[in-house]
Amino acid sequence: MRGLDRATPFLTIAAALAAVTCAFPTDKSDKVFVTLLSPSHVVLRGQEVSVYAQAWRVVGTDTQAITNVDFAFSSGSGSVARVDKDCCGYATVTGVNSGNVDIIARAVSFESALAADLPLRVANPLEIDSVRPKTAHFGELLTVYGVGVDSMFLASLGDVNLIEYPFSRVRDSLGLGEIKFWVPPPAHSGQLFFLGAGVFGLDTATTNVLKDDVFEPNDTIPTNIDLDLGGPWPGTPFAPILFTNPALAFEPVDRNLGLGEDWFHFHTGDTTQALTFFITYPSFGDTSAAATRTFFLDSLSYFAGGPGDPVEKFFGRDSADLISSDFYRCKGFEFSPPQLARESTTVALKTLPSHDLHIVTFFSRVQRYALTVGQGYFTADPRIKADAYEENDLCHYTDSILGRPNPKSRIHVSNVQFTDTMNIDNPFEIDWYRIEVPAHGAGDSVLFRLQGRPFIAGQDSSDIDIFVETVPGSTGPGVFDVGSSVNSGSTENVVLDLPAGSYYLAVVDYAGVAMRYSMCIRAIPVLAVIRTCALIQPGPTVPGASKARPQGSSPVTRGARNSLLGPRRRP
């Protein structure tokens, strides 16, 4: 009994060994395969990557890992990549020259086992595989694909730098990257030049650039943008941007007319929100015949069969108010205060005049421009916020309307002075106020005082002016100038004998400087001892000399209605 008992373990071990030998023959087995893993499918030339081989046994529909297996490694091309065996299933692959190569791992003890084939690419730190599309318009996005392209920090076409599209740097699990760029004017067809970290070169293919932008044609039919769809970068710091394109083009103009136009129509269902429109066209002197004229308005259509130049075929609501780089409209009448030439227009609206807003630009020379719409009220100086009188960028905001019988910007004149601090939020803004003058005695007058409030005393380059205008149906048949103060600097004083009724007061930024200002309005009886009103300091109190008006400027008011966008400015 003892012998039998002592023999039992040996029989059990022998049976187990026989089972193993049956399942894992050392000469051949079609039930075993090898896998080979790499942290990346791209190896940079001259660098190393560690790969790991693993043998597996197929059991029915399942697989089981096999341990303690010896592997043999090989490279499909030693001139592209070298492979050196390490311990415990690992091997080191070294990139030698650019190219594609297969790294093979074979289980030594299993001759019929399926070997692993790992395709790798050996590349330089930055290699372009392709640029798409092959043909692009100005303002269109190019996508660059390849190794390391997501680390690229400069790309250009025809010596013109492309504009990187935010958050477009991507690298996939295989080690391949991509990045997007806007194509700005005056880029032209050629091989894309790239610059990375110590690496530069040219794409082997040619990218064709067409000489119009991605939104053409939008001269007599607008490009429609639905702002309710949201912006391209939700959940990022750029989430407030609803629309942007920094690479748009004023294309070559009609050879006979010498004029071109770009027209954008924006729609939103929420007129209570704040929106800011940024139009940047890097040309100076936009009120001259040789530059651009940009109009922002809430009513615009085109009469294709109408007579005259394209400018004369645009029409809208007769009483539409508008903001432009050339002149303004209030109640359908042109208001043309002198202002310096500008290279951009920013319109920030705390509430919107309509569900539909239009931007149309007339131009006479080829150049690049940018257009952006942001959700929110953005100012040129972060220290400046929307004041209590916004929204008053358009004169009709100051009128009493249904649901808003007495807006804050409607000021009633009395012997008790009105005084407060307001802001020019963005360069060349106009603030409108409606002044209600009561019946008064003969010889009584109204005093208007205005003064800049710089954040740092002695550092003030602003220059704002005051214009007092009639209100149609109250104090005149249209919008006419009844008084103004246009001193150099931002200290203005004007005393006017105004009959009872309503008047518009326009505070105009002449110099294009965002700033704070203090304004004071008061009725002055003919026999009053005190004939001034107190401003909120600091700031100079002595008016400067009158400044020279810009050459060839339009009059402040033309005294009658005219075409919606004014006459064509001919060279």
Side-chain angles (χ1 to χ4, degrees):
M1 290 294 295
R2 286 184 178 179
L4 183 60
D5 292 339
R6 294 169 64 181
T8 302
F10 292 98
L11 292 173
T12 305
I13 292 172
L17 289 174
V20 170
T21 303
C22 181
F24 297 102
T26 58
D27 53 349
K28 61 178 70 175
S29 176
D30 58 1
K31 298 296 184 179
V32 175
F33 67 94
V34 179
T35 58
L36 188 56
L37 301 178
S38 173
S40 173
H41 283 235
V42 177
V43 183
L44 297 184
R45 188 165 57 88
Q47 295 189 2
E48 298 177 345
V49 64
S50 181
V51 297
Y52 176 69
Q54 173 70 60
W56 302 86
R57 174 193 178 197
V58 178
V59 181
T61 59
D62 198 6
T63 58
Q64 296 177 352
I66 306 173
T67 60
N68 299 320
V69 176
D70 186 28
F71 296 97
F73 296 89
S74 62
S75 170
S77 174
S79 63
V80 176
R82 186 180 70 249
V83 59
D84 297 299
K85 179 181 176 181
D86 298 325
C87 175
C88 312
Y90 287 92
T92 298
V93 178
T94 303
V96 179
N97 289 298
S98 292
N100 296 309
V101 66
D102 291 320
I103 303 299
I104 308 298
R106 182 176 58 84
V108 174
S109 299
F110 302 95
E111 295 180 1
S112 296
L114 184 65
D117 185 341
L118 174 67
L120 289 180
R121 174 178 175 178
V122 179
N124 291 308
L126 201 162
E127 287 185 358
I128 292 179
D129 291 340
S130 63
V131 178
R132 294 290 182 271
K134 293 183 178 180
T135 300
H137 299 262
F138 293 140
E140 192 167 356
L141 285 174
L142 281 184
T143 303
V144 184
Y145 301 92
V147 175
V149 297
D150 53 304
S151 64
M152 186 185 304
F153 55 79
L154 184 145
S156 64
L157 277 172
D159 298 323
V160 176
N161 290 343
L162 307 185
I163 303 171
E164 183 181 341
Y165 188 81
F167 309 109
S168 67
R169 296 173 182 262
V170 177
R171 182 173 296 188
D172 65 20
S173 59
L174 299 179
L176 297 176
E178 66 179 77
I179 189 171
K180 299 180 187 295
F181 296 93
W182 279 291
V183 181
H188 55 79
S189 301
Q191 294 171 284
L192 185 138
F193 172 79
F194 61 86
L195 184 63
V199 181
F200 64 91
L202 289 170
D203 182 22
T204 56
T206 296
T207 298
N208 298 312
V209 179
L210 301 179
K211 300 301 182 181
D212 57 0
D213 72 35
V214 68
F215 295 113
E216 287 296 326
N218 63 340
D219 45 3
T220 61
I221 299 174
T223 294
N224 293 304
I225 307 293
D226 187 349
L227 298 179
D228 294 335
L229 297 178
W233 302 295
T236 73
F238 292 169
I241 296 178
L242 300 180
F243 170 84
T244 188
N245 196 310
L248 299 176
F250 295 141
E251 296 86 5
V253 300
D254 184 287
R255 294 176 62 180
N256 295 319
L257 293 175
L259 182 71
E261 59 270 357
D262 277 358
W263 180 9
F264 289 85
H265 166 216
F266 298 94
H267 174 80
T268 178
D270 181 8
T271 60
T272 65
Q273 67 180 318
L275 292 178
T276 304
F277 297 79
F278 305 86
I279 310 104
T280 302
Y281 29 85
S283 65
F284 289 91
D286 11 54
T287 55
S288 71
T292 59
R293 305 171 67 209
T294 296
F295 296 86
F296 175 92
L297 64 167
D298 66 350
S299 174
L300 191 64
S301 299
Y302 186 80
F303 183 24
D309 288 347
V311 176
E312 299 165 319
K313 296 180 183 181
F314 281 94
F315 67 95
R317 190 175 64 255
D318 187 47
S319 60
D321 294 354
L322 62 81
I323 299 168
S324 85
S325 61
D326 194 22
F327 65 89
Y328 306 82
R329 277 173 69 95
C330 172
K331 295 298 181 66
F333 293 85
E334 187 172 315
F335 176 66
S336 303
Q339 290 179 294
L340 293 179
R342 67 187 74 177
E343 71 281 359
S344 63
T345 296
T346 299
V347 179
L349 298 175
K350 196 172 181 180
T351 59
L352 308 179
S354 172
H355 294 285
D356 298 279
L357 300 168
H358 300 262
I359 292 175
V360 61
T361 300
F362 299 95
F363 54 89
S364 56
R365 64 186 180 198
V366 176
Q367 63 181 358
R368 167 187 155 191
Y369 74 101
L371 178 59
T372 297
V373 183
Q375 187 174 45
Y377 196 92
F378 298 96
T379 61
D381 187 328
R383 296 172 295 183
I384 295 174
K385 308 299 180 184
D387 63 41
Y389 301 88
E390 298 291 348
E391 181 51 54
N392 63 338
D393 285 4
L394 298 166
C395 73
H396 78 264
Y397 276 112
T398 68
D399 298 331
S400 293
I401 59 174
L402 184 65
R404 193 183 61 185
N406 195 26
K408 191 173 179 65
S409 57
R410 188 169 187 171
I411 299 169
H412 295 265
V413 177
S414 72
N415 293 338
V416 179
Q417 71 174 20
F418 160 86
T419 186
D420 206 345
T421 294
M422 297 82 158
N423 302 321
I424 296 295
D425 299 326
N426 289 293
F428 301 104
E429 182 188 37
I430 293 182
D431 282 347
W432 291 90
Y433 304 90
R434 181 160 172 158
I435 309 302
E436 303 295 343
V437 178
H440 54 81
D444 293 354
S445 56
V446 180
L447 170 64
F448 301 90
R449 294 190 66 198
L450 182 146
Q451 183 175 306
R453 294 193 63 200
F455 290 99
I456 300 176
Q459 297 184 17
D460 185 12
S461 58
S462 67
D463 190 343
I464 53 178
D465 299 327
I466 290 178
F467 296 89
V468 181
E469 310 290 316
T470 57
V471 173
S474 175
T475 51
V479 179
F480 296 90
D481 185 25
V482 294
S484 63
S485 179
V486 292
N487 297 317
S488 294
S490 294
T491 299
E492 307 293 348
N493 293 269
V494 59
V495 179
L496 299 173
D497 182 5
L498 299 176
S502 297
Y503 299 85
Y504 288 124
L505 173 66
V507 177
V508 176
D509 177 18
Y510 170 85
V513 177
M515 48 90 74
R516 299 182 304 172
Y517 64 91
S518 172
M519 186 168 69
C520 182
I521 303 173
R522 181 179 179 177
I524 306 295
V526 64
L527 299 177
V529 176
I530 300 176
R531 308 187 66 82
T532 186
C533 62
L535 288 161
I536 299 174
Q537 300 298 318
T541 57
V542 179
S546 294
K547 57 178 170 280
R549 299 290 181 96
Q551 293 297 316
S553 65
S554 302
V556 174
T557 54
R558 297 187 177 179
R561 296 182 187 271
N562 48 54
S563 62
L564 185 69
L565 303 179
R568 177 185 171 193
R569 302 290 190 260
R570 300 177 185 274

